[in-house]
Amino acid sequence: AVRLFWLCAGLAVLAGLGVASVTIGVRAVSWAEIGAALGGASDTIGEAAVAKRIPRTLLAALAGAGLGLSGALMQGATRNPLADPGILGINMGAALAVVVGIAFFGLAAATAFIWTAILGAALAAVFVFAIASLGRGGATPLKLALAGAATMVALHAFITAVVLPRNDIAGGVQAWQVGGVGGASFAGIAQVLPFLAAGFVMSLVSARQLNSLALGDELAAGLGENVAVARGLAALASVVLCGAVTAMCGPIGFVGLVVPHLCRA
């Protein structure tokens, strides 16, 4: 009952923020214009302004959900309460891949952005885990956090090195690096939605396995779980969600860290 209450409260807050996102902007709009825009009208300036805010609001909700779920998966897979796509360098890996694609391969299509970001996120995740696995004890939560933080700084430096000599792309890349949902469109959302849906389905499949992993690897194996497969599937789902969101919105930090803890509380 308590969990259901907080779920309903969260949905109510989300709905309120959605209404605020549609109604508040540079241009003041009336409720009549909002209603008309929700019905598909865009004849007046006010209706056109609301029509642009609707996909922005939808993308913000999807991006927040994707990053929050990605962080929860990463925390469960690593058993590290400080794990999130930003701290572990996955966000920055996706960002570097996109920047390299723009600078050297003329990356422009939204779908290409998404696939490139997912590839970069996956490579960053593998690299961080490999570095953290060195030495005694393997990939402990502390070593994962340290390796992720160091990787994040290094990848950010590489992004700067790629962008600085390229004045033709510097402005666009820097604006994208800030992170945000401005300029969202239904066409862009439609392209990223299958990736978010795939990550969501994989996360549902991983849920029971992550509960077992929370008891420890040995006990999870004793309960019949394949620890490596369970951790790999959760990491893959996290990478897909994080990469897809990063491709559309740029690297956004701390959502994946804070949201899982708020939900647990």
Side-chain angles (χ1 to χ4, degrees):
V2 174
R3 188 175 298 176
L4 180 61
F5 169 78
W6 284 112
L7 175 61
C8 293
L11 291 174
V13 171
L14 177 62
L17 292 173
V19 171
S21 177
V22 171
T23 56
I24 299 172
V26 175
R27 182 179 182 84
V29 294
S30 65
W31 288 107
E33 290 174 321
I34 293 172
L38 290 174
S42 58
D43 300 327
T44 68
I45 297 178
E47 291 170 357
V50 175
K52 288 187 176 181
R53 296 173 190 172
I54 295 172
R56 175 192 71 183
T57 303
L58 181 58
L59 180 58
L62 290 172
L67 290 174
L69 191 53
S70 178
L73 289 165
M74 197 59 65
Q75 290 172 13
T78 62
R79 286 189 294 157
N80 183 359
L82 292 178
D84 94 306
I87 292 176
L88 293 184
I90 299 174
N91 259 346
M92 209 56 68
L96 176 60
V98 170
V99 170
V100 169
I102 294 172
F104 300 112
F105 300 100
L107 205 66
T111 304
F113 266 65
I114 296 169
W115 280 112
T116 303
I118 291 174
L119 176 62
L123 291 175
V126 171
F127 179 78
V128 168
F129 187 79
I131 293 298
S133 298
L134 298 176
R136 293 183 179 180
T140 64
L142 176 60
K143 288 166 68 178
L144 278 169
L146 291 174
T151 301
M152 177 178 62
V153 174
L155 293 177
H156 186 272
F158 281 125
I159 291 174
T160 303
V162 171
V163 173
L164 274 179
R166 296 290 303 273
N167 291 330
D168 55 326
I169 65 169
V173 169
Q174 287 173 355
W176 175 78
Q177 269 192 282
V178 171
V181 293
S185 66
F186 286 115
I189 293 174
Q191 289 178 314
V192 77
L193 205 54
F195 295 91
L196 296 178
F200 178 68
V201 170
M202 285 189 287
S203 70
L204 290 179
V205 174
S206 300
R208 184 178 62 82
Q209 298 170 329
L210 289 178
N211 285 336
S212 299
L213 289 180
L215 302 174
D217 289 0
E218 293 182 0
L219 187 52
L223 293 172
E225 296 291 352
N226 187 320
V227 174
V229 171
R231 186 166 281 127
L233 181 61
L236 177 61
S238 179
V239 163
V240 170
L241 289 167
C242 173
V245 172
T246 302
M248 295 301 296
C249 307
I252 299 175
F254 294 108
V255 175
L257 175 65
V258 175
V259 169
H261 290 292
L262 288 176
C263 292
R264 292 189 192 100

